[in-house]
Amino acid sequence: AILVGVNLASSNLCDFSPKHMGQSFYHGNSIGIFSNVNLSNALFDKAELRHVDFQNVQLNNTRFLFADLTDSHFIGMDLTTVNFGYADLTGANLTGTILSNKNMHDTILIDADLTNADLSGVNLAGRDLTGTNLSGVNLAGRDLTGTNLSGVNLSQHDLTNTILIDADLTNADLSGVNL
């Protein structure tokens, strides 16, 4: 099956896995099965969507509860209406995404690339952000109490008025940080 230009809006794709569709959908390290597809209001609860490229896909009000989105790509997308509750976004590329005011408390973001992402209003306190790329993310004045920032490059970040009580900064790069 080729899913180019298909409208899957409001579809129930819970427990979906590209493995059921064969190897023909793998393109290098990512799967390109959803090119120019409308997935608005679709349900992907517990779906296995590792390495999927979601660029040029409509995801308005799409739900990914407990979904495995490891190493998937959402580059430059507005994800403010997407529900990532308990989703695993380990290693996901979220460069330039808009995630403002999202409740992502139970979302796994270890090693994710959040370069230039808009995280305004997102609660990062107590989160495990080990190895996450936060380049270009505004952290000034944020509450990072208990946040695991191990191995995170925070060089040149403005951390003025940022609360870092009990934050784990093991092996974090703090060169040029403004405290």
Side-chain angles (χ1 to χ4, degrees):
I2 296 175
L3 301 178
V4 175
V6 173
N7 186 345
L8 293 173
S10 301
S11 295
N12 183 341
L13 299 164
C14 296
D15 296 310
F16 174 82
S17 175
K19 291 188 294 191
H20 303 125
M21 300 180 80
Q23 292 293 320
S24 62
F25 293 99
Y26 285 84
H27 301 286
N29 291 330
S30 65
I31 302 170
I33 60 172
F34 295 126
S35 181
N36 297 312
V37 174
N38 183 353
L39 296 176
S40 297
N41 301 303
L43 306 178
F44 283 99
D45 300 354
K46 299 181 184 176
E48 182 185 320
L49 296 164
R50 293 171 163 245
H51 308 283
V52 173
D53 187 346
F54 286 98
Q55 292 182 88
N56 301 315
V57 173
Q58 295 175 37
L59 294 175
N60 299 319
N61 299 307
T62 303
R63 192 171 81 185
F64 292 103
L65 293 179
F66 296 97
D68 184 355
L69 298 162
T70 301
D71 295 317
S72 289
H73 300 266
F74 296 92
I75 300 169
M77 298 179 70
D78 182 345
L79 301 173
T80 54
T81 65
V82 176
N83 184 340
F84 287 115
Y86 302 94
D88 186 351
L89 288 163
T90 299
N93 190 336
L94 298 156
T95 300
T97 56
I98 302 171
L99 294 161
S100 57
N101 300 309
K102 299 273 319 148
N103 178 359
M104 298 184 70
H105 183 71
D106 296 308
T107 304
I108 300 168
L109 292 168
I110 296 171
D111 293 322
D113 187 349
L114 291 165
T115 301
N116 297 318
D118 179 357
L119 299 178
S120 56
V122 175
N123 182 359
L124 298 175
R127 301 299 313 281
D128 186 353
L129 299 176
T130 302
T132 299
N133 186 343
L134 296 171
S135 299
V137 174
N138 183 1
L139 298 174
R142 301 294 297 270
D143 182 1
L144 299 178
T145 301
T147 302
N148 186 343
L149 296 163
S150 299
V152 174
N153 182 353
L154 295 171
S155 65
Q156 308 304 317
H157 267 79
D158 180 6
L159 298 179
T160 305
N161 298 319
T162 300
I163 303 168
L164 293 166
I165 298 170
D166 295 325
D168 184 349
L169 296 165
T170 305
N171 296 319
D173 183 351
L174 299 172
S175 58
V177 167
N178 183 10
L179 295 171

